[in-house]
């Protein structure tokens, strides 16, 4: 298996680039944001709990997302690898993920960290909010709160993986094709 974390702040292009990468490398896309939004749409108890946090731009509790990822790993035993998007987002999630992968005799091979300036992030998300229907894109206050959560709780996930020399930063501004090409070259350096 080859497992990737696509890391970066809200609006940095994780979802956009994931779509391309999973097709190219036959990976299973695991986006905790997408999984949570699907729980909300199905009005499950988990979704209703998560919605309270997501609408405010705050992180959902660790045990909720770790449980979801654990189930998703069990449900996909025969994949070429996983592409984690929006997970892990805290130190506790990183440690839990390492343990879950170890149980499956695998590990994270690379953390690709997209770098985008704050004003560009806000611009992209406000623009998407015009038609995405995502409640957390609807106003600038919530968008800035998401970025604050990233700065305070999520950024240190990169430090965690840095101690194992797994982090590569990639410029997240430019055309989608340029960014994709840089991501692919980093992946292919490590795949062989
Ligand atoms: P989540 O769904 O993960 O959202 P996010 O990280 O806030 O970021 P986005 O999905 O909005 O951005 P993205 O980086 O995927 O960028 P995209 O490609 O869409 O999380 C939502 C919420 O769920 C969290 O706030 C939290 O409450 C909860 N949650 C999720 N995971 C959790 C976890 N592990 N722990 C706890 N809570 C969790 O691009 C954005 C826009 O920019 C798009 O319109 C796109 O078209 C555009 N764009 C993309 N690339 C470019 C480019 N190169 N140039 C110009 N525009 C571009
Ligand atoms: Mg996303």
């Amino acid at each position: 298996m080859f497992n990737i974390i696509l890391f970066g702040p809200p609006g940095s292009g994780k979802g956009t680039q994931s779509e391309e990468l999973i097709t190219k490398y036959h990976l299973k896309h695991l986006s905790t944001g997408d999984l949570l939004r699907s729980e909300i749409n199905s009005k499950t108890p988990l979704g209703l709990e998560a919605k309270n946090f997501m609408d405010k731009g705050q992180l959902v509790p660790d045990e909720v997302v770790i449980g979801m990822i654990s189930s998703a790993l069990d449900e996909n035993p025969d994949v070429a690898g996983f592409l984690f998007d929006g997970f892990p987002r805290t130190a506790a999630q990183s440690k839990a993920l390492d343990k879950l992968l170890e149980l499956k005799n695998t590990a994270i091979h690379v953390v690709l960290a997209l770098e985008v300036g704050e004003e560009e992030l806000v611009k992209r998300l406000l623009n998407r909010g015009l038609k995405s229907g995502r409640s957390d894109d609807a106003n600038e206050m919530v968008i800035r709160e998401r970025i604050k959560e990233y700065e305070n709780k999520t950024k240190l996930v990169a430090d965690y993986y840095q101690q194992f020399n797994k982090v590569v930063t990639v410029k997240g501004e430019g055309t989608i094709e340029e960014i994709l090409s840089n991501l692919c070259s980093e992946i292919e350096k490590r795949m062989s």
Side-chain angles (χ1 to χ4, degrees):
M1 276 211 257
F2 192 87
N3 304 306
I4 300 171
I5 294 174
L6 192 51
F7 187 75
S12 56
K14 303 183 295 294
T16 305
Q17 297 294 338
S18 289
E19 292 306 322
E20 307 289 336
L21 295 172
I22 54 162
T23 313
K24 184 156 181 176
Y25 300 111
H26 311 288
L27 301 171
K28 174 73 186 169
H29 185 199
L30 291 183
S31 154
T32 39
D34 290 348
L35 292 170
L36 289 167
R37 281 184 288 277
S38 139
E39 296 280 342
I40 292 175
N41 287 337
S42 308
K43 298 198 166 61
T44 65
L46 190 157
L48 294 176
E49 189 201 345
K51 191 175 186 317
N52 291 323
F53 296 93
M54 291 168 76
D55 284 351
K56 293 187 221 131
Q58 296 168 355
L59 292 186
V60 171
D62 285 335
E63 55 275 20
V64 174
V65 285
I66 292 168
M68 273 187 347
I69 287 290
S70 174
S71 309
L73 293 179
D74 289 341
E75 283 159 17
N76 294 280
D78 297 320
V79 293
F82 293 99
L83 175 59
F84 296 97
D85 159 2
F87 180 89
R89 258 176 149 101
T90 62
Q93 291 179 26
S94 311
K95 289 184 186 133
L97 178 61
D98 277 359
K99 287 210 181 94
L100 289 170
L101 292 175
E102 207 179 306
L103 288 172
K104 306 207 177 288
N105 294 315
T106 187
I108 290 299
H109 294 87
V110 65
V111 179
L112 299 167
L114 291 169
E115 290 190 322
V116 177
E118 177 158 348
E119 293 319 305
E120 170 71 11
L121 297 173
V122 174
K123 197 175 89 190
R124 286 184 190 180
L125 294 176
L126 279 174
N127 184 41
R128 184 178 63 186
L130 297 175
K131 44 189 177 195
S132 71
R134 267 180 65 165
S135 59
D136 59 349
D137 283 347
N139 77 66
E140 191 169 332
M141 236 170 65
V142 176
I143 291 174
R144 297 230 183 241
E145 181 65 24
R146 285 159 65 195
I147 296 172
K148 212 168 89 197
E149 287 278 88
Y150 171 81
E151 293 289 333
N152 293 338
K153 298 176 184 165
T154 303
K155 235 180 165 176
L156 40 102
V157 166
D159 301 339
Y160 172 81
Y161 288 102
Q162 192 60 61
Q163 60 179 325
F164 310 110
N165 258 324
K166 290 186 177 176
V167 184
V168 183
T169 56
V170 173
K171 190 168 159 248
E173 294 185 44
T175 69
I176 291 170
E177 294 73 22
E178 277 164 11
I179 298 161
L180 178 64
S181 148
N182 290 333
L183 291 171
C184 290
S185 86
E186 294 298 340
I187 291 170
E188 285 163 25
K189 271 188 221 163
R190 285 161 183 81
M191 255 187 173
S192 47

